[in-house]
Amino acid sequence: MSRLVVISNRVAVPKARGAAGAQGGLAGALNAALRKNGGIWFGWSGQGVDQFTGSINYARSGDGVTTATIDLEYQDVDEYYNGYANSTLWPLFHFRIDLTRYENEFGVGYERVNERFAEAVLPLIEAGDDIWVHDYHLMPLGEQLREKGVKNRIGFFLHIPWPPTNLLVSLPFHERLVRALLRYDLIGLQNDTWLDSFLHYCRKELGAEVDEETGTVVLEGRKTIARAYPIGIDFEHFMSKGETGEARQAQQRLESSTRHRTAMIGVDRLDYSKGLPERLDGISRFFDNYPERVRDLVFIQIAPPSREDVQSYQHIRAVLEQKTGQINGARSEVDIVPIRYVNRGHSQEELFGFYRGAKIGLVTPLRDGMNLVAKEYVAAQDPNDPGVLILSRFAGAAPQLDCDGEGALMINPHSSDDIAHHIRLALDMPLEERKARWERMIGTVRDDNVHWWTENFVGDLAAIKLD
């Protein structure tokens, strides 16, 4: 069995920026794969320094997983992380071309950091290792490693959507980026929609030979395989959180505070891809259409801040606070506030309790790679009295949770009327229908979990024959 070298922007070690909860079940699954295969997890420490040294900081967890991290210069953080990764690629790949910033220095910093990653991790790679690179921060890393003589199997998984070709071509040097990506042996995307978009680009813009059935892409004699691997939650681990006193207490707090009203919950990072302003517009429309139901429904939005150094994130926080204030100002009574906006994070135990206490889960991203909150909400429900999931048809999880129209209630997150209509349907849905819809969804949430995802990807990578 080959050792596994995992490479990602952030590494789940203590004090890594955003590590607690930023990767959650993914961190657990990768740690499990590393325990099984042996190997190392490499990435950025989350720390900035004045001068890059390439010095590696090693740590070993209690269960025997070794992590290796490097610090980046403040300029690297600005240009690579805040710049190209999160101000160029992130908005573009979420179809927000209006928010995409094209700055030459961002691209230069992105390539520089990928080169630094390659140089730093190179001595850690042994003959026979399989290498698994994660996400949009490190798309050129496979090419950088190839140019340094690495002949190992290298796989890449993209956790965010892949945009349509007519959007991607707006990116300067888009061909160069995708050609670099094709130096990987195996490329994983979240679902068939993103996979189809990727294959379409390779065929149309690069003139590659593409086999739609197998996902094989051949360009200039080199073969890459691209497949869909929908990521799941760590089901057993998450369910164990529901057995804790903290989860039960959180559920009781929510239920007692809603005063016999139905609780509807949204849990999202504070990010424009999540459709939060549009969600509030839909809730406002619901109360406009059914003003008497302000005594039937309370909406709880948990939105911890993220990427506070990026200007567009500061703007969305201000917009949400303004919209929440407007709705509450218009609809509140002395003893009722229709929306509770919570701008901080919560533990998995607390979230489990909140999910179980809420009879409607509202997940309305404008575009999402997967959206594991939708799957967590389904997992946390009481089988005897489950809640209803309202889900954007543009979430990566939609193909799995639609269940031929008999699972989640699918909505268009851009339409306030559609959101309002489905809130009413969910609020009035009888118990038997709620149970039937939940039973259709829970199977895929339980079985297509993050460990299944890891084993599928690592297994397919290991099966690739090296030239």
Side-chain angles (χ1 to χ4, degrees), residues 65-118:
V65 173
T66 300
T67 60
T69 59
I70 55 172
D71 301 334
L72 294 177
E73 287 181 11
Y74 294 113
Q75 182 181 356
D76 291 338
V77 177
D78 264 351
E79 295 176 354
Y80 149 79
Y81 183 73
N82 292 329
Y84 200 79
N86 289 317
S87 297
T88 304
L89 292 181
W90 177 272
L92 179 61
F93 278 52
H94 285 86
F95 299 40
R96 292 301 303 270
I97 194 169
D98 57 313
L99 296 177
T100 303
R101 293 179 60 196
Y102 303 114
E103 305 287 350
N104 285 339
E105 63 267 25
F106 289 175
V108 171
Y110 183 72
E111 295 208 358
R112 181 178 65 249
V113 170
N114 272 267
E115 171 77 17
R116 287 177 167 177
F117 264 59

Side-chain angles (χ1 to χ4, degrees), residues 244-276:
T244 63
E246 190 177 356
R248 287 189 289 271
Q249 186 178 38
Q251 180 183 353
Q252 290 164 3
R253 280 173 54 208
L254 185 142
E255 290 173 345
S256 64
S257 71
T258 54
R259 298 183 184 180
H260 307 294
R261 288 183 291 165
T262 296
M264 179 169 69
I265 193 167
V267 178
D268 309 83
R269 280 189 308 103
L270 194 57
D271 187 288
Y272 49 77
S273 69
K274 303 300 182 182
L276 299 180

Side-chain angles (χ1 to χ4, degrees), residues 3 5-7 40 42-43 52 54 56 58 68 70 113-129 131 133 141-152 154:
R3 270 197 349 153
V5 177
V6 174
I7 307 174
I40 196 165
F42 176 88
F52 178 76
I56 297 176
Y58 292 95
I70 55 172
V113 170
N114 272 267
E115 171 77 17
R116 287 177 167 177
F117 264 59
E119 288 175 353
V121 78
L122 189 63
L124 309 183
I125 297 170
E126 300 175 1
D129 286 350
I131 303 167
V133 179
L141 184 59
E143 181 179 59
Q144 300 276 15
L145 291 171
R146 295 290 184 214
E147 290 178 352
K148 296 180 187 310
V150 174
K151 301 188 185 304
N152 305 54
I154 312 179

Side-chain angles (χ1 to χ4, degrees), residues 262-266 297 355-363 373-374 377-378 380-382 385-391 401 406-411 421-439 441:
T262 296
M264 179 169 69
I265 193 167
L297 181 72
Y355 290 142
R356 179 158 285 205
K359 288 305 172 199
I360 305 173
L362 191 57
V363 182
V373 166
Y377 178 79
V378 172
Q381 295 311 296
D382 178 353
D385 186 20
V388 181
L389 175 64
I390 300 175
L391 181 62
L401 298 179
E406 297 180 3
L409 297 181
M410 307 303 294
I411 57 101
H421 171 66
H422 283 88
I423 291 173
R424 186 187 64 78
L425 290 181
L427 201 56
D428 295 336
M429 188 177 291
L431 176 61
E432 288 310 307
E433 184 180 352
R434 285 192 276 126
K435 283 173 139 179
R437 287 180 175 274
W438 177 81
E439 285 166 2
M441 293 186 286

Side-chain angles (χ1 to χ4, degrees), residues 119-274:
E119 288 175 353
V121 78
L122 189 63
L124 309 183
I125 297 170
E126 300 175 1
D129 286 350
D130 286 341
I131 303 167
W132 190 3
V133 179
H134 286 265
D135 226 1
Y136 60 103
H137 314 83
L138 303 174
M139 292 169 73
L141 184 59
E143 181 179 59
Q144 300 276 15
L145 291 171
R146 295 290 184 214
E147 290 178 352
K148 296 180 187 310
V150 174
K151 301 188 185 304
N152 305 54
R153 285 180 287 256
I154 312 179
F156 175 84
F157 188 82
L158 184 67
H159 292 262
I160 64 174
W162 185 272
T165 298
N166 62 356
L167 284 185
L168 186 56
V169 295
S170 70
L171 180 69
F173 309 109
H174 55 89
E175 285 193 13
R176 181 164 144 193
L177 187 68
V178 183
R179 282 177 175 273
L181 201 55
L182 290 174
R183 299 298 295 275
Y184 290 103
D185 297 298
L186 178 64
I187 296 171
L189 299 109
Q190 292 276 24
N191 62 31
D192 287 332
T193 301
W194 315 141
L195 174 62
D196 290 345
S197 294
F198 175 75
L199 295 177
H200 179 265
Y201 176 93
C202 292
R203 184 177 60 251
K204 184 174 184 293
E205 295 298 322
L206 300 182
E209 298 174 37
V210 175
D211 185 327
E212 307 279 353
E213 293 297 314
T214 64
T216 301
V217 180
V218 179
L219 181 66
E220 297 170 357
R222 173 169 174 78
K223 182 173 81 171
T224 300
I225 297 171
R227 290 178 181 156
Y229 299 89
I231 195 170
I233 65 171
D234 189 342
F235 185 80
E236 296 298 333
H237 179 70
F238 185 65
M239 295 306 292
S240 72
K241 300 295 184 183
E243 302 298 321
T244 63
E246 190 177 356
R248 287 189 289 271
Q249 186 178 38
Q251 180 183 353
Q252 290 164 3
R253 280 173 54 208
L254 185 142
E255 290 173 345
S256 64
S257 71
T258 54
R259 298 183 184 180
H260 307 294
R261 288 183 291 165
T262 296
M264 179 169 69
I265 193 167
V267 178
D268 309 83
R269 280 189 308 103
L270 194 57
D271 187 288
Y272 49 77
S273 69
K274 303 300 182 182

